[in-house]
Amino acid sequence: MEKSAASTEPQGPRPVLGRDSVQVPDDQDFRSFRSECEAEEGWNLTYSKAGVSVWVQAVEMDRTLHKIKCRMECRDVPAETLYDVLHDIEYRKKWDSNVIETFDIARLTVNADVGYYSWRCPKPLKNRDVITLRSWLPMGTDYIIMNYSVKHPAPYPSG
């Protein structure tokens, strides 16, 4: 999503610089990401049940590519606890019944790393795996975690 320099609309995070390089998100990227999460214009609510809502937005350049955002209410769990649980890869293996394998590959900064995650998919789908650039930042009472799929030169197993 490209915007002109004069645009007053928040721009989305900018992790991709080129086909073979990425950029670790900075504070402005986290603010832009939070604004996009809170935005309603241009998003179509496609699911809302039991505290879970899902919105879809067609990407302008290619209407077959969609952005998806979800919101889940966890009334009895403090945001800080949920944030800690999502970062604990050993504990994830206990609560995520679909995880096959997950591990850290490299720490990039104090709040960014590259990690591997593979998971079981329901039939007829094949199991999936992904390498992601994971960045996180507490912002007041908000705890933001952003993940982007990335390529890595080392071979990793397919789930």
Side-chain angles (χ1 to χ4, degrees), residues 5 9 24-25 50 65 67 76 104 119 139 156:
E9 293 181 38
V24 174
L65 179 64
K67 290 169 48 172
D76 297 332
D104 295 335
W119 67 97
M139 296 179 77
Y156 288 96

Side-chain angles (χ1 to χ4, degrees), residues 129-157:
D129 65 344
V130 66
I131 296 174
T132 60
L133 167 61
R134 304 178 295 200
S135 302
W136 55 91
L137 186 67
M139 296 179 77
T141 58
D142 294 332
Y143 293 82
I144 299 174
I145 302 171
M146 295 190 294
N147 290 329
Y148 298 96
S149 295
V150 295
K151 293 183 180 179
H152 194 278
Y156 288 96

Side-chain angles (χ1 to χ4, degrees), residues 6 14-15 23 36-37 61-62 78 80 84-86 89 95 98 104 117 130 139:
R14 53 179 171 73
Q23 182 169 321
E36 190 169 359
C37 288
M61 297 180 324
D62 180 356
E80 184 176 14
D84 288 342
V85 165
L86 291 172
I89 62 174
W95 63 263
N98 293 314
D104 295 335
Y117 177 72
V130 66
M139 296 179 77

